[in-house]
Amino acid sequence: MAMQNVIAIVGPTASGKTDLSIALAKRFGGEIVSADSMQIYREMNIGTAKPSPEEQCGVVHHLMGHVSVEASYNVAAYVRDGNAVLRDLELRGVLPVLCGGTGLYMDHLLQNTIFFEIPRKEEVRRKYQLFEKQHGREALFTLLEQADPRLAASLHPNDVKRVIRGLEVFEITGRRLSDYQKESRRESPYRVLYIGLGYQNRALLYERINRRVDLMMEHGLESEVRALLSDFTLSPTARAAIGYKELIDTISRGERIEDAVALIKQKSRNYAKRQLTWFHKNQKVHWLYVDQQDWPQLLEKAAGMTREFLRGEEL
């Protein structure tokens, strides 16, 4: 059975992923599948840098504004919904252009991960927390080595939370968490071209992030946050979004908005660092550097790679 071709545009926040994905989708007759854990929310627009209808240039976008800010949403839900979208695009013969900076969502979708509903029991978790306090982390880790040696080999004794989760799963289900993890990995039906956007000079990226935050404030981010607080009960995930959390906290405490803006810039820069670390672990990413070429050159390079990939060539 032939694998489905997917173009994946990755990189840090404010690197230009949206513009590139729209340009490639227009050129190759594709549709965009968002891989952004905050653009998934319908009512969060300014602070998530969601492209306006005009900026979308008539290209269909999937999983953008997909759920309400009141809904709980996670990687398992994204993989379920993303697979459904990709199947639909395959049936229609349309090229998916996956675009976003949430590496966890993108990786689990493209790796075709299965998520199991493994039960939790607070009293079991508390029992092992008490054991750790009384006997120490090494003794707790020894219990895991006996119950699930494969999981123990992948963890450090100091990772108490995951050690306890392994013991909890084994006690509740009688099965090893490492067995669930092994079964969650299936062969992927997707053949993926990863194109990464980066900056050789990291300071230029940070300047771009700072400018973007200023523009978000000019375009009414504070008003958007106040309206969300007034009209909705935000889910914990939506409430934690960078830009929203800082303003929510500042508004609730009656503090200076200017301080929140500085914090949003700092948190956004830190997030960009984490994104770069995540995506650089993927050896399949073909990096294009925004500060080393002008936009037409970058677009032509990306389009050339896409053309070769769709011809079946290995890049």
PDB file of all heavy atoms in Angstrom, residues 10-12 35 75 100-111 113 162 194 202 270-285 287:
ATOM      1  N   VAL A  10       8.185  23.135   9.868  1.00  0.00           N
ATOM      2  CA  VAL A  10       8.457  23.228  11.306  1.00  0.00           C
ATOM      3  C   VAL A  10       9.401  24.390  11.594  1.00  0.00           C
ATOM      4  O   VAL A  10      10.005  24.955  10.683  1.00  0.00           O
ATOM      5  CB  VAL A  10       9.064  21.911  11.839  1.00  0.00           C
ATOM      6  CG1 VAL A  10       8.176  20.723  11.497  1.00  0.00           C
ATOM      7  CG2 VAL A  10      10.483  21.691  11.296  1.00  0.00           C
ATOM      8  N   GLY A  11       9.525  24.697  12.887  1.00  0.00           N
ATOM      9  CA  GLY A  11      10.443  25.759  13.287  1.00  0.00           C
ATOM     10  C   GLY A  11       9.896  26.516  14.482  1.00  0.00           C
ATOM     11  O   GLY A  11       8.784  26.262  14.951  1.00  0.00           O
ATOM     12  N   PRO A  12      10.661  27.487  14.983  1.00  0.00           N
ATOM     13  CA  PRO A  12      10.247  28.239  16.164  1.00  0.00           C
ATOM     14  C   PRO A  12       9.157  29.245  15.846  1.00  0.00           C
ATOM     15  O   PRO A  12       8.890  29.563  14.680  1.00  0.00           O
ATOM     16  CB  PRO A  12      11.538  28.946  16.589  1.00  0.00           C
ATOM     17  CG  PRO A  12      12.276  29.144  15.309  1.00  0.00           C
ATOM     18  CD  PRO A  12      11.982  27.915  14.494  1.00  0.00           C
ATOM     19  N   ALA A  35      -0.729  22.370  13.158  1.00  0.00           N
ATOM     20  CA  ALA A  35      -0.141  21.587  14.251  1.00  0.00           C
ATOM     21  C   ALA A  35       0.294  22.563  15.338  1.00  0.00           C
ATOM     22  O   ALA A  35       1.451  22.623  15.723  1.00  0.00           O
ATOM     23  CB  ALA A  35       1.039  20.756  13.754  1.00  0.00           C
ATOM     24  N   VAL A  75      -2.835  15.821  23.158  1.00  0.00           N
ATOM     25  CA  VAL A  75      -2.164  15.220  22.012  1.00  0.00           C
ATOM     26  C   VAL A  75      -2.934  14.018  21.474  1.00  0.00           C
ATOM     27  O   VAL A  75      -2.981  13.799  20.249  1.00  0.00           O
ATOM     28  CB  VAL A  75      -0.702  14.861  22.368  1.00  0.00           C
ATOM     29  CG1 VAL A  75      -0.627  13.824  23.463  1.00  0.00           C
ATOM     30  CG2 VAL A  75       0.060  14.381  21.130  1.00  0.00           C
ATOM     31  N   GLY A 100       3.185  23.997  11.898  1.00  0.00           N
ATOM     32  CA  GLY A 100       3.026  24.386  13.288  1.00  0.00           C
ATOM     33  C   GLY A 100       4.288  24.171  14.090  1.00  0.00           C
ATOM     34  O   GLY A 100       5.218  23.503  13.654  1.00  0.00           O
ATOM     35  N   GLY A 101       4.259  24.727  15.303  1.00  0.00           N
ATOM     36  CA  GLY A 101       5.431  24.633  16.156  1.00  0.00           C
ATOM     37  C   GLY A 101       5.265  23.706  17.332  1.00  0.00           C
ATOM     38  O   GLY A 101       6.156  23.646  18.192  1.00  0.00           O
ATOM     39  N   THR A 102       4.129  22.991  17.412  1.00  0.00           N
ATOM     40  CA  THR A 102       3.927  22.062  18.522  1.00  0.00           C
ATOM     41  C   THR A 102       4.478  20.704  18.109  1.00  0.00           C
ATOM     42  O   THR A 102       3.772  19.870  17.531  1.00  0.00           O
ATOM     43  CB  THR A 102       2.436  21.975  18.912  1.00  0.00           C
ATOM     44  OG1 THR A 102       1.933  23.298  19.155  1.00  0.00           O
ATOM     45  CG2 THR A 102       2.264  21.123  20.168  1.00  0.00           C
ATOM     46  N   GLY A 103       5.757  20.506  18.391  1.00  0.00           N
ATOM     47  CA  GLY A 103       6.440  19.294  17.945  1.00  0.00           C
ATOM     48  C   GLY A 103       5.819  18.020  18.467  1.00  0.00           C
ATOM     49  O   GLY A 103       5.772  17.008  17.758  1.00  0.00           O
ATOM     50  N   LEU A 104       5.314  18.054  19.696  1.00  0.00           N
ATOM     51  CA  LEU A 104       4.688  16.866  20.283  1.00  0.00           C
ATOM     52  C   LEU A 104       3.498  16.425  19.448  1.00  0.00           C
ATOM     53  O   LEU A 104       3.345  15.238  19.140  1.00  0.00           O
ATOM     54  CB  LEU A 104       4.246  17.166  21.718  1.00  0.00           C
ATOM     55  CG  LEU A 104       3.654  15.998  22.502  1.00  0.00           C
ATOM     56  CD1 LEU A 104       4.741  14.997  22.877  1.00  0.00           C
ATOM     57  CD2 LEU A 104       2.938  16.500  23.755  1.00  0.00           C
ATOM     58  N   TYR A 105       2.644  17.358  19.063  1.00  0.00           N
ATOM     59  CA  TYR A 105       1.475  17.034  18.244  1.00  0.00           C
ATOM     60  C   TYR A 105       1.909  16.469  16.891  1.00  0.00           C
ATOM     61  O   TYR A 105       1.415  15.439  16.435  1.00  0.00           O
ATOM     62  CB  TYR A 105       0.635  18.297  18.015  1.00  0.00           C
ATOM     63  CG  TYR A 105      -0.307  18.667  19.132  1.00  0.00           C
ATOM     64  CD1 TYR A 105      -0.111  18.217  20.442  1.00  0.00           C
ATOM     65  CD2 TYR A 105      -1.410  19.496  18.896  1.00  0.00           C
ATOM     66  CE1 TYR A 105      -0.980  18.573  21.459  1.00  0.00           C
ATOM     67  CE2 TYR A 105      -2.287  19.852  19.904  1.00  0.00           C
ATOM     68  CZ  TYR A 105      -2.065  19.390  21.183  1.00  0.00           C
ATOM     69  OH  TYR A 105      -2.936  19.747  22.176  1.00  0.00           O
ATOM     70  N   MET A 106       2.826  17.169  16.254  1.00  0.00           N
ATOM     71  CA  MET A 106       3.253  16.779  14.914  1.00  0.00           C
ATOM     72  C   MET A 106       3.912  15.403  14.913  1.00  0.00           C
ATOM     73  O   MET A 106       3.603  14.544  14.077  1.00  0.00           O
ATOM     74  CB  MET A 106       4.197  17.835  14.342  1.00  0.00           C
ATOM     75  CG  MET A 106       4.550  17.621  12.885  1.00  0.00           C
ATOM     76  SD  MET A 106       5.572  18.954  12.211  1.00  0.00           S
ATOM     77  CE  MET A 106       4.393  20.281  12.012  1.00  0.00           C
ATOM     78  N   ASP A 107       4.805  15.179  15.855  1.00  0.00           N
ATOM     79  CA  ASP A 107       5.536  13.906  15.882  1.00  0.00           C
ATOM     80  C   ASP A 107       4.613  12.727  16.112  1.00  0.00           C
ATOM     81  O   ASP A 107       4.711  11.706  15.425  1.00  0.00           O
ATOM     82  CB  ASP A 107       6.619  13.936  16.961  1.00  0.00           C
ATOM     83  CG  ASP A 107       7.814  14.791  16.573  1.00  0.00           C
ATOM     84  OD1 ASP A 107       7.800  15.344  15.454  1.00  0.00           O
ATOM     85  OD2 ASP A 107       8.743  14.911  17.386  1.00  0.00           O
ATOM     86  N   HIS A 108       3.725  12.837  17.079  1.00  0.00           N
ATOM     87  CA  HIS A 108       2.841  11.708  17.375  1.00  0.00           C
ATOM     88  C   HIS A 108       1.862  11.448  16.230  1.00  0.00           C
ATOM     89  O   HIS A 108       1.511  10.295  15.968  1.00  0.00           O
ATOM     90  CB  HIS A 108       2.093  11.935  18.681  1.00  0.00           C
ATOM     91  CG  HIS A 108       2.928  11.637  19.893  1.00  0.00           C
ATOM     92  ND1 HIS A 108       3.454  10.385  20.138  1.00  0.00           N
ATOM     93  CD2 HIS A 108       3.347  12.425  20.920  1.00  0.00           C
ATOM     94  CE1 HIS A 108       4.145  10.412  21.270  1.00  0.00           C
ATOM     95  NE2 HIS A 108       4.110  11.634  21.751  1.00  0.00           N
ATOM     96  N   LEU A 109       1.423  12.496  15.533  1.00  0.00           N
ATOM     97  CA  LEU A 109       0.556  12.294  14.379  1.00  0.00           C
ATOM     98  C   LEU A 109       1.304  11.574  13.260  1.00  0.00           C
ATOM     99  O   LEU A 109       0.831  10.562  12.735  1.00  0.00           O
ATOM    100  CB  LEU A 109       0.026  13.640  13.875  1.00  0.00           C
ATOM    101  CG  LEU A 109      -0.769  13.594  12.561  1.00  0.00           C
ATOM    102  CD1 LEU A 109      -2.003  12.711  12.693  1.00  0.00           C
ATOM    103  CD2 LEU A 109      -1.154  15.007  12.112  1.00  0.00           C
ATOM    104  N   LEU A 110       2.474  12.068  12.919  1.00  0.00           N
ATOM    105  CA  LEU A 110       3.203  11.517  11.782  1.00  0.00           C
ATOM    106  C   LEU A 110       3.832  10.157  12.099  1.00  0.00           C
ATOM    107  O   LEU A 110       4.104   9.373  11.194  1.00  0.00           O
ATOM    108  CB  LEU A 110       4.270  12.510  11.318  1.00  0.00           C
ATOM    109  CG  LEU A 110       3.701  13.826  10.771  1.00  0.00           C
ATOM    110  CD1 LEU A 110       4.808  14.799  10.423  1.00  0.00           C
ATOM    111  CD2 LEU A 110       2.802  13.581   9.556  1.00  0.00           C
ATOM    112  N   GLN A 111       4.049   9.872  13.381  1.00  0.00           N
ATOM    113  CA  GLN A 111       4.557   8.550  13.771  1.00  0.00           C
ATOM    114  C   GLN A 111       3.442   7.549  14.004  1.00  0.00           C
ATOM    115  O   GLN A 111       3.695   6.387  14.316  1.00  0.00           O
ATOM    116  CB  GLN A 111       5.407   8.689  15.042  1.00  0.00           C
ATOM    117  CG  GLN A 111       6.718   9.427  14.816  1.00  0.00           C
ATOM    118  CD  GLN A 111       7.376   9.867  16.117  1.00  0.00           C
ATOM    119  OE1 GLN A 111       6.957   9.483  17.211  1.00  0.00           O
ATOM    120  NE2 GLN A 111       8.404  10.697  16.005  1.00  0.00           N
ATOM    121  N   THR A 113       1.097   7.242  16.357  1.00  0.00           N
ATOM    122  CA  THR A 113       1.041   6.726  17.725  1.00  0.00           C
ATOM    123  C   THR A 113      -0.389   6.391  18.129  1.00  0.00           C
ATOM    124  O   THR A 113      -1.326   7.131  17.820  1.00  0.00           O
ATOM    125  CB  THR A 113       1.607   7.769  18.710  1.00  0.00           C
ATOM    126  OG1 THR A 113       2.935   8.112  18.315  1.00  0.00           O
ATOM    127  CG2 THR A 113       1.623   7.236  20.134  1.00  0.00           C
ATOM    128  N   ARG A 162       7.331   9.840  36.971  1.00  0.00           N
ATOM    129  CA  ARG A 162       7.166   8.767  35.990  1.00  0.00           C
ATOM    130  C   ARG A 162       7.406   7.388  36.610  1.00  0.00           C
ATOM    131  O   ARG A 162       6.800   6.404  36.184  1.00  0.00           O
ATOM    132  CB  ARG A 162       8.111   8.993  34.799  1.00  0.00           C
ATOM    133  CG  ARG A 162       7.657  10.132  33.900  1.00  0.00           C
ATOM    134  CD  ARG A 162       8.477  10.198  32.612  1.00  0.00           C
ATOM    135  NE  ARG A 162       7.943  11.176  31.692  1.00  0.00           N
ATOM    136  CZ  ARG A 162       8.271  12.455  31.672  1.00  0.00           C
ATOM    137  NH1 ARG A 162       9.148  12.917  32.550  1.00  0.00           N
ATOM    138  NH2 ARG A 162       7.741  13.285  30.805  1.00  0.00           N
ATOM    139  N   TYR A 194      10.190  17.062   5.782  1.00  0.00           N
ATOM    140  CA  TYR A 194      10.267  18.085   6.821  1.00  0.00           C
ATOM    141  C   TYR A 194      11.090  19.255   6.307  1.00  0.00           C
ATOM    142  O   TYR A 194      12.256  19.080   5.929  1.00  0.00           O
ATOM    143  CB  TYR A 194      10.943  17.531   8.071  1.00  0.00           C
ATOM    144  CG  TYR A 194      10.159  16.486   8.826  1.00  0.00           C
ATOM    145  CD1 TYR A 194      10.356  15.118   8.560  1.00  0.00           C
ATOM    146  CD2 TYR A 194       9.251  16.838   9.828  1.00  0.00           C
ATOM    147  CE1 TYR A 194       9.654  14.150   9.266  1.00  0.00           C
ATOM    148  CE2 TYR A 194       8.560  15.875  10.532  1.00  0.00           C
ATOM    149  CZ  TYR A 194       8.758  14.537  10.256  1.00  0.00           C
ATOM    150  OH  TYR A 194       8.080  13.586  10.952  1.00  0.00           O
ATOM    151  N   ARG A 202      20.550  34.026  16.028  1.00  0.00           N
ATOM    152  CA  ARG A 202      19.405  33.855  16.925  1.00  0.00           C
ATOM    153  C   ARG A 202      18.848  35.203  17.391  1.00  0.00           C
ATOM    154  O   ARG A 202      17.652  35.335  17.633  1.00  0.00           O
ATOM    155  CB  ARG A 202      19.846  33.000  18.117  1.00  0.00           C
ATOM    156  CG  ARG A 202      18.746  32.497  19.014  1.00  0.00           C
ATOM    157  CD  ARG A 202      17.990  31.329  18.447  1.00  0.00           C
ATOM    158  NE  ARG A 202      18.773  30.146  18.204  1.00  0.00           N
ATOM    159  CZ  ARG A 202      19.003  29.175  19.090  1.00  0.00           C
ATOM    160  NH1 ARG A 202      18.547  29.279  20.319  1.00  0.00           N
ATOM    161  NH2 ARG A 202      19.671  28.084  18.743  1.00  0.00           N
ATOM    162  N   ASN A 270      11.946  32.068  25.198  1.00  0.00           N
ATOM    163  CA  ASN A 270      12.294  30.779  25.814  1.00  0.00           C
ATOM    164  C   ASN A 270      11.614  29.622  25.096  1.00  0.00           C
ATOM    165  O   ASN A 270      12.203  28.550  24.909  1.00  0.00           O
ATOM    166  CB  ASN A 270      11.897  30.775  27.296  1.00  0.00           C
ATOM    167  CG  ASN A 270      12.750  31.721  28.132  1.00  0.00           C
ATOM    168  OD1 ASN A 270      13.834  32.118  27.702  1.00  0.00           O
ATOM    169  ND2 ASN A 270      12.271  32.081  29.290  1.00  0.00           N
ATOM    170  N   TYR A 271      10.365  29.833  24.692  1.00  0.00           N
ATOM    171  CA  TYR A 271       9.627  28.806  23.959  1.00  0.00           C
ATOM    172  C   TYR A 271      10.300  28.519  22.619  1.00  0.00           C
ATOM    173  O   TYR A 271      10.422  27.360  22.208  1.00  0.00           O
ATOM    174  CB  TYR A 271       8.179  29.264  23.752  1.00  0.00           C
ATOM    175  CG  TYR A 271       7.319  28.289  22.992  1.00  0.00           C
ATOM    176  CD1 TYR A 271       7.243  26.941  23.357  1.00  0.00           C
ATOM    177  CD2 TYR A 271       6.561  28.708  21.899  1.00  0.00           C
ATOM    178  CE1 TYR A 271       6.446  26.048  22.662  1.00  0.00           C
ATOM    179  CE2 TYR A 271       5.759  27.827  21.199  1.00  0.00           C
ATOM    180  CZ  TYR A 271       5.706  26.503  21.589  1.00  0.00           C
ATOM    181  OH  TYR A 271       4.915  25.618  20.881  1.00  0.00           O
ATOM    182  N   ALA A 272      10.761  29.579  21.953  1.00  0.00           N
ATOM    183  CA  ALA A 272      11.450  29.393  20.666  1.00  0.00           C
ATOM    184  C   ALA A 272      12.703  28.535  20.840  1.00  0.00           C
ATOM    185  O   ALA A 272      13.002  27.675  19.996  1.00  0.00           O
ATOM    186  CB  ALA A 272      11.812  30.752  20.066  1.00  0.00           C
ATOM    187  N   LYS A 273      13.436  28.747  21.941  1.00  0.00           N
ATOM    188  CA  LYS A 273      14.618  27.915  22.219  1.00  0.00           C
ATOM    189  C   LYS A 273      14.223  26.451  22.357  1.00  0.00           C
ATOM    190  O   LYS A 273      14.895  25.567  21.828  1.00  0.00           O
ATOM    191  CB  LYS A 273      15.300  28.375  23.512  1.00  0.00           C
ATOM    192  CG  LYS A 273      16.034  29.692  23.436  1.00  0.00           C
ATOM    193  CD  LYS A 273      16.657  29.991  24.810  1.00  0.00           C
ATOM    194  CE  LYS A 273      17.150  31.424  24.881  1.00  0.00           C
ATOM    195  NZ  LYS A 273      17.617  31.773  26.240  1.00  0.00           N
ATOM    196  N   ARG A 274      13.143  26.190  23.103  1.00  0.00           N
ATOM    197  CA  ARG A 274      12.699  24.808  23.300  1.00  0.00           C
ATOM    198  C   ARG A 274      12.248  24.192  21.981  1.00  0.00           C
ATOM    199  O   ARG A 274      12.505  23.007  21.721  1.00  0.00           O
ATOM    200  CB  ARG A 274      11.561  24.752  24.323  1.00  0.00           C
ATOM    201  CG  ARG A 274      11.978  25.157  25.732  1.00  0.00           C
ATOM    202  CD  ARG A 274      10.953  24.725  26.760  1.00  0.00           C
ATOM    203  NE  ARG A 274       9.622  25.278  26.545  1.00  0.00           N
ATOM    204  CZ  ARG A 274       9.234  26.477  26.976  1.00  0.00           C
ATOM    205  NH1 ARG A 274      10.076  27.258  27.641  1.00  0.00           N
ATOM    206  NH2 ARG A 274       7.991  26.886  26.755  1.00  0.00           N
ATOM    207  N   GLN A 275      11.575  24.964  21.150  1.00  0.00           N
ATOM    208  CA  GLN A 275      11.148  24.456  19.845  1.00  0.00           C
ATOM    209  C   GLN A 275      12.350  24.074  18.982  1.00  0.00           C
ATOM    210  O   GLN A 275      12.351  23.014  18.340  1.00  0.00           O
ATOM    211  CB  GLN A 275      10.312  25.516  19.113  1.00  0.00           C
ATOM    212  CG  GLN A 275       8.929  25.730  19.699  1.00  0.00           C
ATOM    213  CD  GLN A 275       8.227  26.877  19.004  1.00  0.00           C
ATOM    214  OE1 GLN A 275       8.736  28.015  18.973  1.00  0.00           O
ATOM    215  NE2 GLN A 275       7.075  26.620  18.438  1.00  0.00           N
ATOM    216  N   LEU A 276      13.360  24.928  18.964  1.00  0.00           N
ATOM    217  CA  LEU A 276      14.561  24.647  18.171  1.00  0.00           C
ATOM    218  C   LEU A 276      15.259  23.382  18.674  1.00  0.00           C
ATOM    219  O   LEU A 276      15.698  22.547  17.868  1.00  0.00           O
ATOM    220  CB  LEU A 276      15.506  25.839  18.198  1.00  0.00           C
ATOM    221  CG  LEU A 276      15.071  27.029  17.331  1.00  0.00           C
ATOM    222  CD1 LEU A 276      15.841  28.287  17.712  1.00  0.00           C
ATOM    223  CD2 LEU A 276      15.248  26.704  15.854  1.00  0.00           C
ATOM    224  N   THR A 277      15.338  23.227  19.981  1.00  0.00           N
ATOM    225  CA  THR A 277      15.937  22.016  20.548  1.00  0.00           C
ATOM    226  C   THR A 277      15.160  20.788  20.114  1.00  0.00           C
ATOM    227  O   THR A 277      15.743  19.771  19.711  1.00  0.00           O
ATOM    228  CB  THR A 277      15.955  22.100  22.090  1.00  0.00           C
ATOM    229  OG1 THR A 277      16.758  23.221  22.472  1.00  0.00           O
ATOM    230  CG2 THR A 277      16.540  20.842  22.700  1.00  0.00           C
ATOM    231  N   TRP A 278      13.836  20.877  20.165  1.00  0.00           N
ATOM    232  CA  TRP A 278      12.971  19.746  19.787  1.00  0.00           C
ATOM    233  C   TRP A 278      13.175  19.375  18.324  1.00  0.00           C
ATOM    234  O   TRP A 278      13.426  18.218  17.989  1.00  0.00           O
ATOM    235  CB  TRP A 278      11.514  20.113  20.057  1.00  0.00           C
ATOM    236  CG  TRP A 278      10.543  18.996  19.749  1.00  0.00           C
ATOM    237  CD1 TRP A 278      10.165  18.541  18.504  1.00  0.00           C
ATOM    238  CD2 TRP A 278       9.859  18.156  20.690  1.00  0.00           C
ATOM    239  NE1 TRP A 278       9.280  17.503  18.611  1.00  0.00           N
ATOM    240  CE2 TRP A 278       9.076  17.240  19.941  1.00  0.00           C
ATOM    241  CE3 TRP A 278       9.818  18.107  22.078  1.00  0.00           C
ATOM    242  CZ2 TRP A 278       8.258  16.279  20.556  1.00  0.00           C
ATOM    243  CZ3 TRP A 278       9.012  17.158  22.685  1.00  0.00           C
ATOM    244  CH2 TRP A 278       8.239  16.261  21.929  1.00  0.00           C
ATOM    245  N   PHE A 279      13.073  20.350  17.435  1.00  0.00           N
ATOM    246  CA  PHE A 279      13.116  20.055  16.003  1.00  0.00           C
ATOM    247  C   PHE A 279      14.517  19.679  15.526  1.00  0.00           C
ATOM    248  O   PHE A 279      14.656  18.930  14.558  1.00  0.00           O
ATOM    249  CB  PHE A 279      12.558  21.231  15.197  1.00  0.00           C
ATOM    250  CG  PHE A 279      11.068  21.410  15.348  1.00  0.00           C
ATOM    251  CD1 PHE A 279      10.542  22.599  15.832  1.00  0.00           C
ATOM    252  CD2 PHE A 279      10.190  20.380  15.033  1.00  0.00           C
ATOM    253  CE1 PHE A 279       9.175  22.761  15.984  1.00  0.00           C
ATOM    254  CE2 PHE A 279       8.817  20.532  15.175  1.00  0.00           C
ATOM    255  CZ  PHE A 279       8.305  21.723  15.655  1.00  0.00           C
ATOM    256  N   HIS A 280      15.549  20.179  16.202  1.00  0.00           N
ATOM    257  CA  HIS A 280      16.912  19.807  15.799  1.00  0.00           C
ATOM    258  C   HIS A 280      17.227  18.352  16.142  1.00  0.00           C
ATOM    259  O   HIS A 280      18.188  17.793  15.608  1.00  0.00           O
ATOM    260  CB  HIS A 280      17.939  20.759  16.425  1.00  0.00           C
ATOM    261  CG  HIS A 280      18.138  22.014  15.633  1.00  0.00           C
ATOM    262  ND1 HIS A 280      18.645  22.010  14.339  1.00  0.00           N
ATOM    263  CD2 HIS A 280      17.878  23.316  15.929  1.00  0.00           C
ATOM    264  CE1 HIS A 280      18.696  23.247  13.890  1.00  0.00           C
ATOM    265  NE2 HIS A 280      18.243  24.061  14.829  1.00  0.00           N
ATOM    266  N   LYS A 281      16.427  17.736  17.009  1.00  0.00           N
ATOM    267  CA  LYS A 281      16.615  16.317  17.289  1.00  0.00           C
ATOM    268  C   LYS A 281      16.193  15.452  16.105  1.00  0.00           C
ATOM    269  O   LYS A 281      16.598  14.291  15.996  1.00  0.00           O
ATOM    270  CB  LYS A 281      15.802  15.907  18.536  1.00  0.00           C
ATOM    271  CG  LYS A 281      16.354  16.455  19.836  1.00  0.00           C
ATOM    272  CD  LYS A 281      15.462  16.055  21.005  1.00  0.00           C
ATOM    273  CE  LYS A 281      15.933  16.682  22.301  1.00  0.00           C
ATOM    274  NZ  LYS A 281      14.995  16.400  23.418  1.00  0.00           N
ATOM    275  N   ASN A 282      15.348  16.001  15.241  1.00  0.00           N
ATOM    276  CA  ASN A 282      14.852  15.273  14.075  1.00  0.00           C
ATOM    277  C   ASN A 282      15.853  15.445  12.931  1.00  0.00           C
ATOM    278  O   ASN A 282      15.951  16.503  12.315  1.00  0.00           O
ATOM    279  CB  ASN A 282      13.477  15.800  13.674  1.00  0.00           C
ATOM    280  CG  ASN A 282      12.860  15.030  12.524  1.00  0.00           C
ATOM    281  OD1 ASN A 282      13.523  14.226  11.860  1.00  0.00           O
ATOM    282  ND2 ASN A 282      11.590  15.268  12.265  1.00  0.00           N
ATOM    283  N   GLN A 283      16.593  14.382  12.648  1.00  0.00           N
ATOM    284  CA  GLN A 283      17.634  14.443  11.621  1.00  0.00           C
ATOM    285  C   GLN A 283      17.065  14.560  10.199  1.00  0.00           C
ATOM    286  O   GLN A 283      17.804  14.803   9.247  1.00  0.00           O
ATOM    287  CB  GLN A 283      18.520  13.190  11.705  1.00  0.00           C
ATOM    288  CG  GLN A 283      19.237  13.032  13.036  1.00  0.00           C
ATOM    289  CD  GLN A 283      20.151  14.202  13.337  1.00  0.00           C
ATOM    290  OE1 GLN A 283      20.950  14.615  12.502  1.00  0.00           O
ATOM    291  NE2 GLN A 283      20.029  14.765  14.535  1.00  0.00           N
ATOM    292  N   LYS A 284      15.752  14.397  10.047  1.00  0.00           N
ATOM    293  CA  LYS A 284      15.137  14.442   8.716  1.00  0.00           C
ATOM    294  C   LYS A 284      14.757  15.860   8.287  1.00  0.00           C
ATOM    295  O   LYS A 284      14.338  16.063   7.148  1.00  0.00           O
ATOM    296  CB  LYS A 284      13.886  13.556   8.692  1.00  0.00           C
ATOM    297  CG  LYS A 284      14.176  12.078   8.912  1.00  0.00           C
ATOM    298  CD  LYS A 284      12.895  11.261   8.903  1.00  0.00           C
ATOM    299  CE  LYS A 284      13.175   9.785   9.146  1.00  0.00           C
ATOM    300  NZ  LYS A 284      11.907   8.993   9.212  1.00  0.00           N
ATOM    301  N   VAL A 285      14.899  16.821   9.188  1.00  0.00           N
ATOM    302  CA  VAL A 285      14.504  18.191   8.850  1.00  0.00           C
ATOM    303  C   VAL A 285      15.533  18.832   7.927  1.00  0.00           C
ATOM    304  O   VAL A 285      16.735  18.804   8.189  1.00  0.00           O
ATOM    305  CB  VAL A 285      14.344  19.059  10.122  1.00  0.00           C
ATOM    306  CG1 VAL A 285      14.028  20.504   9.739  1.00  0.00           C
ATOM    307  CG2 VAL A 285      13.242  18.499  11.018  1.00  0.00           C
ATOM    308  N   TRP A 287      16.809  22.239   6.830  1.00  0.00           N
ATOM    309  CA  TRP A 287      16.719  23.590   7.369  1.00  0.00           C
ATOM    310  C   TRP A 287      16.980  24.654   6.302  1.00  0.00           C
ATOM    311  O   TRP A 287      17.914  24.546   5.517  1.00  0.00           O
ATOM    312  CB  TRP A 287      17.705  23.767   8.522  1.00  0.00           C
ATOM    313  CG  TRP A 287      17.267  23.021   9.745  1.00  0.00           C
ATOM    314  CD1 TRP A 287      17.668  21.789  10.154  1.00  0.00           C
ATOM    315  CD2 TRP A 287      16.300  23.452  10.704  1.00  0.00           C
ATOM    316  NE1 TRP A 287      17.020  21.415  11.307  1.00  0.00           N
ATOM    317  CE2 TRP A 287      16.176  22.423  11.673  1.00  0.00           C
ATOM    318  CE3 TRP A 287      15.524  24.610  10.854  1.00  0.00           C
ATOM    319  CZ2 TRP A 287      15.303  22.520  12.759  1.00  0.00           C
ATOM    320  CZ3 TRP A 287      14.663  24.714  11.944  1.00  0.00           C
ATOM    321  CH2 TRP A 287      14.563  23.673  12.875  1.00  0.00           C
TER     322      TRP A 287
END
